[in-house]
Amino acid sequence: MARLHFFDLDGTLLHGSTAPVEISRQLGLETQTMELDRAISAGRIDPPEYAARVYDLWSELTEAHVAAAFDGAPWLARIRDVWAEIRESGDYCAVISLSPSFFVERLLDWGAHAAFGSRFPAVPFAEPVDPAGVLSAAAKVTIADRLCERLGVVRADCVAYGDSMSDRDLFAAVPVSVAVNADGHLAGLATHSYTGRDL
């Protein structure tokens, strides 16, 4: 039976950063976004409010900014190599992130079978962000179940990789989990733990 590997993005594949911070860095607004990251991590705001606030910060965002943010982000080493190995073994890999879909979906070009993020309008923005399209920790499990059904695997065949509170629900739903540079929210939940910069 094939296995399905679920990867978080922010703090997991991205070392010590998030996609919104890297995007905002291109606009000189990383300080404001880092404060929003702290607020959502502490539970002071929820994912829809976070999305609305970064959307407001990104009024001048262009596709060139997004490309520069992606290319310059602090990725873990050898992501593409690991995903190539997963594919060669007949397994699947997917990314599920609360970050904007227009950033997350770029990882399809690196070898992910699927990539899911919070639905934002196309860049440059000509319409508002829809709160109903913003993902949550619980939504990660729903997406994982749908992808399992699509690929013909079950939860027992899944592995989750993550670093923070947004990964707790998925860690609880699958039998094998890997805490990658994780914070205290995953303490005692992960099957394995890794600290470093090489996937």
Side-chain angles (χ1 to χ4, degrees):
M1 177 69 74
R3 302 185 92 182
L4 174 52
H5 300 257
F6 295 113
F7 294 88
D8 173 55
L9 173 64
D10 301 320
T12 304
L13 297 176
L14 283 177
H15 185 267
S17 189
T18 66
V21 167
E22 296 305 312
I23 293 165
S24 293
R25 194 182 312 281
Q26 300 301 314
L27 300 167
L29 298 169
E30 66 269 29
T31 301
Q32 294 91 321
T33 307
M34 289 170 72
E35 177 54 38
L36 290 176
D37 279 2
R38 287 190 287 271
I40 195 169
S41 292
R44 297 194 304 271
I45 61 175
D46 62 10
E49 182 176 353
Y50 180 97
R53 290 173 69 174
V54 293
Y55 172 88
D56 289 342
L57 286 176
W58 295 340
S59 61
E60 303 299 318
L61 189 64
T62 67
E63 187 62 28
H65 290 127
V66 178
F70 187 90
D71 292 342
W75 299 102
L76 290 189
R78 298 196 298 176
I79 294 171
R80 282 171 277 198
D81 295 339
V82 170
W83 290 353
E85 289 179 17
I86 287 172
R87 280 177 167 272
E88 287 164 9
S89 69
D91 289 351
Y92 303 102
C93 53
V95 181
I96 308 176
S97 171
L98 275 58
S99 277
S101 52
F102 61 75
F103 189 96
V104 180
E105 289 168 2
R106 288 173 172 264
L107 289 166
L108 293 170
D109 291 338
W110 283 17
H113 287 91
F116 302 91
S118 293
R119 288 195 309 272
F120 271 65
V123 175
F125 299 144
E127 57 190 84
V129 62
D130 181 359
V134 177
L135 300 188
S136 64
K140 285 188 171 189
V141 178
T142 301
I143 290 169
D145 284 341
R146 288 177 185 158
L147 191 56
C148 282
E149 184 175 353
R150 190 174 100 197
L151 297 174
V153 300
V154 295
R155 285 187 182 183
D157 304 315
C158 294
V159 183
Y161 305 76
D163 76 303
S164 66
M165 182 168 57
S166 71
D167 303 303
R168 287 177 61 96
D169 289 7
L170 191 54
F171 272 37
V174 301
V176 180
S177 56
V178 184
V180 180
N181 298 314
D183 63 23
H185 290 105
L186 297 183
L189 293 179
T191 313
H192 308 285
S193 182
Y194 171 74
T195 300
R197 301 196 64 162
D198 189 332
L199 189 61

